[in-house]
Amino acid sequence: MSSSCIFCRIIQGEAPAQMVYQDELVSAFRDIRPVAPVHVLVVPNKHIAALSEVTEEDQAILGRMLLVARRVAEQEGIAQSGFRLIVNNGPDANQIVYHLHLHVIGGHRLRFPMG
Ligand code: DGP
């Protein structure tokens, strides 16, 4: 945990967020600047700065993040209509928060490709 990391503070309950799911490995909460009707961030409870920093040890966490993304999509009612998962890694991808997170986005027709 890093006290200077906003997502660590949210996970610890020290900063406010609309939490939609939490277990021993991951947390999921609504993005503060949603780009679609559903926009949830799935994050590891452990502080990992970016996908480029993960190791073999993090395999269970990474698997859980995908399973929770599916669960969130079902909870939010977009599992059938469709949704997109995004991981921004580093400056060229516009990563702003350096705590690994999976964007779960849906609820309307999404454009693709982008960039
Ligand atoms: P990224 O570019 O992938 O690092 O996106 C970071 C996302 O995190 C961005 O969509 C906005 C969101 N975000 C930033 N600060 C906060 C916060 O304090 N609370 C919540 N819920 N979301 C945040």
Side-chain angles (χ1 to χ4, degrees), residues 6-7 10 15-18 29-35 39 41 86-90 93-99 101-103 105:
I6 182 60
F7 286 0
I10 288 172
Q18 277 188 275
F29 49 88
R30 295 195 194 286
D31 194 293
I32 206 168
R33 284 187 290 278
V35 298
H39 190 167
L41 302 172
I86 296 173
V87 176
N88 292 322
N89 190 93
N94 245 322
Q95 182 176 1
I96 291 162
V97 177
Y98 277 78
H99 181 124
H101 50 281
L102 191 55
H103 295 258
I105 296 168

Side-chain angles (χ1 to χ4, degrees), residues 32-113:
I32 206 168
R33 284 187 290 278
V35 298
V38 175
H39 190 167
V40 171
L41 302 172
V42 179
V43 312
N45 294 342
K46 170 184 168 185
H47 183 80
I48 301 171
L51 190 64
S52 52
E53 308 265 308
V54 299
T55 69
E56 295 278 328
E57 274 181 24
D58 300 318
Q59 197 167 331
I61 293 172
L62 295 169
R64 184 71 62 85
M65 286 173 72
L66 283 176
L67 285 170
V68 169
R70 190 214 63 190
R71 183 188 176 119
V72 165
E74 280 168 6
Q75 247 174 240
E76 298 290 322
I78 58 168
Q80 301 308 316
S81 54
F83 58 94
R84 181 172 293 154
L85 304 181
I86 296 173
V87 176
N88 292 322
N89 190 93
D92 275 359
N94 245 322
Q95 182 176 1
I96 291 162
V97 177
Y98 277 78
H99 181 124
L100 175 62
H101 50 281
L102 191 55
H103 295 258
V104 183
I105 296 168
H108 67 195
R109 192 70 178 230
L110 301 164
R111 278 174 293 138
F112 192 81

